[in-house]
Amino acid sequence: MRSPANQPMGHDGPVEVDVPVDPTWSATAMLREDAAKTAYGIVVVELERGRAVLAMRVREDMTNGFGITHGGVVFTLADTAFAYACNEAEHAVVAAGAEITFAAASRAGELLTATATRRWLSGRNGLYDVTVTRSSGEVVAEFRGRSFETRQERGPHGTR
């Protein structure tokens, strides 16, 4: 389910898309329970099975000693977008591995957007690419995640 083209903007950036809980789509349960997403100020801007777009405004406390966004924070944004894209069915999907290439530095105050897209899905395994960009469209990082579908179902309050 994509957000409207005229995505509403709050004072810090995009507003999270409203997707109803769907028991056949585990990402919709994650949307309401993701404490890490909330702590980092990450919002889900677009969400559909196999694809997700997330945004995050870089805060001062997310920068390193050089005044640039900590690589782990950029990885967290990309990994979170990967999680929403790969949790496209009823069972919980986890990362089997991931790697990232940093292409450009970003700084506090910048809005970063991570677009995750499924590249391949076979059985319980998947491959997803995530591109992290700044508002100008410049690529900040490229991330590739490998997913593994567990046999655990997600309920409205976590894995059961």
Side-chain angles (χ1 to χ4, degrees):
M1 173 179 295
R2 288 184 187 245
S3 62
N6 58 351
Q7 175 66 37
M9 298 288 282
H11 73 283
D12 285 330
V15 175
E16 191 152 81
V17 66
D18 183 25
V19 179
V21 175
D22 178 343
T24 69
W25 187 8
S26 60
T28 63
M30 284 176 46
L31 191 61
R32 287 145 182 85
E33 300 175 20
D34 191 341
K37 174 181 73 73
T38 302
Y40 280 86
I42 297 171
V43 295
V44 178
V45 179
E46 297 179 17
L47 183 61
E48 60 187 81
R49 292 175 196 261
R51 184 175 183 280
V53 179
L54 281 65
M56 177 189 72
R57 176 83 55 196
V58 178
R59 301 184 313 248
E60 285 290 336
D61 65 340
M62 297 174 168
T63 61
N64 63 22
F66 299 112
I68 60 176
T69 310
H70 191 286
V73 172
V74 176
F75 187 96
T76 297
L77 174 61
D79 185 49
T80 304
F82 162 52
Y84 280 90
C86 72
N87 273 281
E88 53 185 302
E90 63 188 318
H91 295 111
V93 176
V94 296
E99 62 184 52
I100 193 165
T101 300
F102 299 104
S106 60
R107 299 188 179 280
E110 288 192 78
L111 180 67
L112 300 181
T113 301
T115 302
T117 308
R118 178 186 353 101
R119 296 292 178 218
W120 169 80
L121 186 62
S122 179
R124 296 169 66 184
N125 299 290
L127 187 66
Y128 296 76
D129 286 337
V130 183
T131 301
V132 179
T133 58
R134 60 169 39 98
S135 296
S136 67
E138 181 183 8
V139 173
V140 172
E142 291 287 350
F143 171 105
R144 173 158 276 185
R146 296 174 306 282
S147 67
F148 178 74
E149 179 186 347
T150 70
R151 293 297 185 208
Q152 297 179 348
E153 293 181 14
R154 293 228 4 130
H157 298 290
T159 304
R160 41 180 173 165

